[in-house]
Amino acid sequence: MAGTLMSLSPLPGGQIAHAAEDQGYRLGVMDKLRVRVAEWQAAEGEIRNWDAIAGDYSIGPGGQLSLPFIGSLDAQGKTTSEIAEEIGQRLQQKLALRNLPSASVEVAEFRPVFLTGDVQTPGQYAYGVGMTVLKAVSLAGGLRRSEAGQRFARDFINARGQTDVFDSQRARLVARHARLEAERADSAEIAMPKELEKVPNAQELIRSETALMKQRRDRYDLQLKALAELKSLLQSEVESLKRKSETQSRQLEIAEQDRDKISKLSEQGLALNSRLLSIEERTAEVQSSLLDIDTNILRAKQQLSQADQDEINLKNDWEAQRAKDMQDTEAELEKLNLQIGTNQQLMAEALAQSAEAIKFDPSGRAASIRYSVVRDDGKGPKEIPADEMTKLQPGDVIRVTSELLMQ
């Protein structure tokens, strides 16, 4: 866009000159000077003005000031007092004057400042004493805006609102991911993720996830403890039944020995058949009891085996659930990151089309305007960070950039 030279409210020449002198102002290219020369005529007792030299002159691209009778003299980097003194000396030498002419040099107009970047009308603007970045941007019509500025502002607001929601969801997912990592590492504490270091409610999120982790761990430990106690009871039952089985086996052995003896005596007619029958019944009773004990032992061992399997399943389910939760959380995080990236692109596009959209982000959390000043102090141009209240100098280049703040 073509540069436009605009004037500030005109200042009296004296004010500009005094401002230049008070600040020890060093002249530069495009500064306009007002030169007046006078000579005291002793014979006539009056002052003669050199109207042929008087007038306004601009310092050229090479830093030279060209004057009648004098020619070119170096002006860049010098003060008005130094130029005035040199003009008087040059005139005296060139014209062989007896008296040194008195030259007066004032800054009639400072060299302009230049605005570039996200302003409505980039270009060059006349410098005024005390000018700030904000005043210069105002001269350029403010921040860049388009005819469809309201639409871009609306797009920016919508995208920023969605991004705020997604950022909140993402913070919760990051905290959950940290909790799952702590659970898998069997750690009692959750380390603060770097992604949450700048999140305002990060500590609250971590405390919530820590409480949930403790609750889940306690429930898991209680289940393991219950299975361990069940296994201990079943093992005790098996041992008790084994001892009972041993006792019954000895009783069965004694009963069988008694039966054999009675059977022999009965064959010899030395014992009654009723006694033999009683011994047979006792033997059968012991055998039945022993069979019940063996059955109970087998059932207790089966229950113990099932308890072992339940413990293995519980541990496997615990690990599998952690892995699934981690996978689901990472998938949700990836989806949210894509959504956040898309909304950031929408905000960036809105800012690219109309930097004024940034006015609808008063908190400054999503986007901001960055100012910098490129200034040449005679040792080469340097870029200096600035803000709206930064004081400018003639010849400064003000760069205005709208930027999206990435979280």
Side-chain angles (χ1 to χ4, degrees), residues 6 115-122 125 133-145 354-356 358-359 369 371 388 400:
M6 298 178 64
L115 281 100
T116 182
D118 292 330
V119 291
Q120 184 66 14
T121 311
Y125 294 87
V133 169
L134 180 60
K135 291 179 180 178
V137 171
S138 299
L139 287 177
L143 299 178
R144 187 187 62 249
R145 58 189 177 275
S354 181
E356 274 205 335
I358 207 167
K359 293 181 178 179
I369 291 293
Y371 301 100
E388 291 182 341
V400 183

Side-chain angles (χ1 to χ4, degrees), residues 178-194:
R179 185 253 299 167
L180 292 171
E181 287 184 334
E183 285 182 346
R184 294 179 69 175
D186 201 22
S187 173
E189 295 182 356
I190 301 176
M192 175 66 72
K194 290 184 178 180

Side-chain angles (χ1 to χ4, degrees), residues 164-211:
D164 288 343
V165 173
F166 292 150
D167 282 340
S168 177
Q169 294 175 353
R170 184 179 182 278
R172 294 182 181 280
L173 287 174
V174 169
R176 184 197 302 176
H177 191 275
R179 185 253 299 167
L180 292 171
E181 287 184 334
E183 285 182 346
R184 294 179 69 175
D186 201 22
S187 173
E189 295 182 356
I190 301 176
M192 175 66 72
K194 290 184 178 180
E195 298 94 323
L196 296 183
E197 289 179 354
K198 296 182 180 180
V199 175
N201 64 334
Q203 293 294 340
E204 181 181 347
L205 292 175
I206 293 299
R207 281 195 299 270
S208 176
E209 291 295 333
T210 300

Side-chain angles (χ1 to χ4, degrees), residues 26 159 202 258 272 378 402:
R26 298 288 172 175
D258 288 345
L272 298 175
S402 59

Side-chain angles (χ1 to χ4, degrees), residues 35 44 49 70 90 136 150 163 175 259 264 306 321 358:
V35 178
E44 290 82 4
N49 292 317
I70 295 177
R90 288 279 193 95
Q150 290 299 322
T163 300
R259 184 191 62 188
K264 290 179 181 179
Q306 183 61 45
Q321 188 62 45
I358 207 167

Side-chain angles (χ1 to χ4, degrees), residues 32 34 54 127 158 232 321 384 399:
K32 183 179 289 186
R34 180 164 295 128
Y127 173 81
N158 291 336
S232 178
Q321 188 62 45
I384 307 167
R399 181 178 286 119

Side-chain angles (χ1 to χ4, degrees), residues 118-347:
D118 292 330
V119 291
Q120 184 66 14
T121 311
Q124 67 180 36
Y125 294 87
Y127 173 81
V129 177
M131 178 180 280
T132 63
V133 169
L134 180 60
K135 291 179 180 178
V137 171
S138 299
L139 287 177
L143 299 178
R144 187 187 62 249
R145 58 189 177 275
S146 67
E147 293 180 359
Q150 290 299 322
R151 180 176 70 81
F152 290 116
R154 184 174 62 252
D155 292 344
F156 181 87
I157 293 171
N158 291 336
R160 190 199 65 182
Q162 290 180 351
T163 300
D164 288 343
V165 173
F166 292 150
D167 282 340
S168 177
Q169 294 175 353
R170 184 179 182 278
R172 294 182 181 280
L173 287 174
V174 169
R176 184 197 302 176
H177 191 275
R179 185 253 299 167
L180 292 171
E181 287 184 334
E183 285 182 346
R184 294 179 69 175
D186 201 22
S187 173
E189 295 182 356
I190 301 176
M192 175 66 72
K194 290 184 178 180
E195 298 94 323
L196 296 183
E197 289 179 354
K198 296 182 180 180
V199 175
N201 64 334
Q203 293 294 340
E204 181 181 347
L205 292 175
I206 293 299
R207 281 195 299 270
S208 176
E209 291 295 333
T210 300
L212 178 59
M213 181 176 70
K214 184 178 183 302
Q215 181 184 7
R216 290 158 63 93
R217 171 63 70 175
D218 289 346
R219 184 171 65 250
Y220 173 67
D221 290 342
L222 283 174
Q223 291 175 322
L224 286 178
K225 183 179 179 182
L227 286 173
E229 291 175 351
L230 176 59
K231 288 168 59 177
S232 178
L233 288 173
L234 290 172
Q235 189 63 45
S236 298
E237 183 179 355
V238 169
E239 295 300 326
S240 176
L241 288 171
K242 284 182 177 180
R243 290 193 296 271
K244 190 174 181 180
S245 176
E246 291 173 357
T247 301
Q248 291 294 317
S249 295
R250 288 194 297 270
Q251 290 180 359
L252 178 60
E253 183 179 354
I254 293 172
E256 288 177 343
Q257 290 174 357
D258 288 345
R259 184 191 62 188
D260 291 342
K261 290 177 182 179
I262 297 298
S263 179
K264 290 179 181 179
L265 291 173
S266 178
E267 290 175 355
Q268 297 173 3
L270 300 175
L272 298 175
N273 289 335
S274 59
R275 186 178 178 188
L276 178 60
L277 181 60
S278 177
I279 291 296
E280 289 286 355
E281 289 177 352
R282 181 169 174 270
T283 301
E285 183 181 343
V286 172
Q287 287 176 338
S288 176
S289 177
L290 186 59
L291 182 60
D292 290 341
I293 291 173
D294 289 341
T295 301
N296 289 334
I297 289 175
L298 180 60
R299 183 172 61 253
K301 286 183 176 180
Q302 289 176 340
Q303 291 176 346
L304 184 60
S305 177
Q306 183 61 45
D308 285 334
Q309 187 61 48
D310 290 344
E311 182 179 16
I312 293 172
N313 290 340
L314 178 61
K315 291 180 179 178
N316 289 340
D317 290 345
W318 172 262
E319 294 299 329
Q321 188 62 45
R322 301 291 78 67
K324 183 179 183 304
D325 289 346
M326 180 71 78
Q327 186 178 19
D328 292 344
T329 300
E330 289 176 349
E332 290 183 50
L333 273 173
E334 183 178 358
K335 178 181 177 181
L336 272 178
N337 286 334
L338 289 174
Q339 290 173 321
I340 290 172
T342 300
N343 278 280
Q344 287 175 339
Q345 290 177 359
L346 291 173
M347 285 190 287

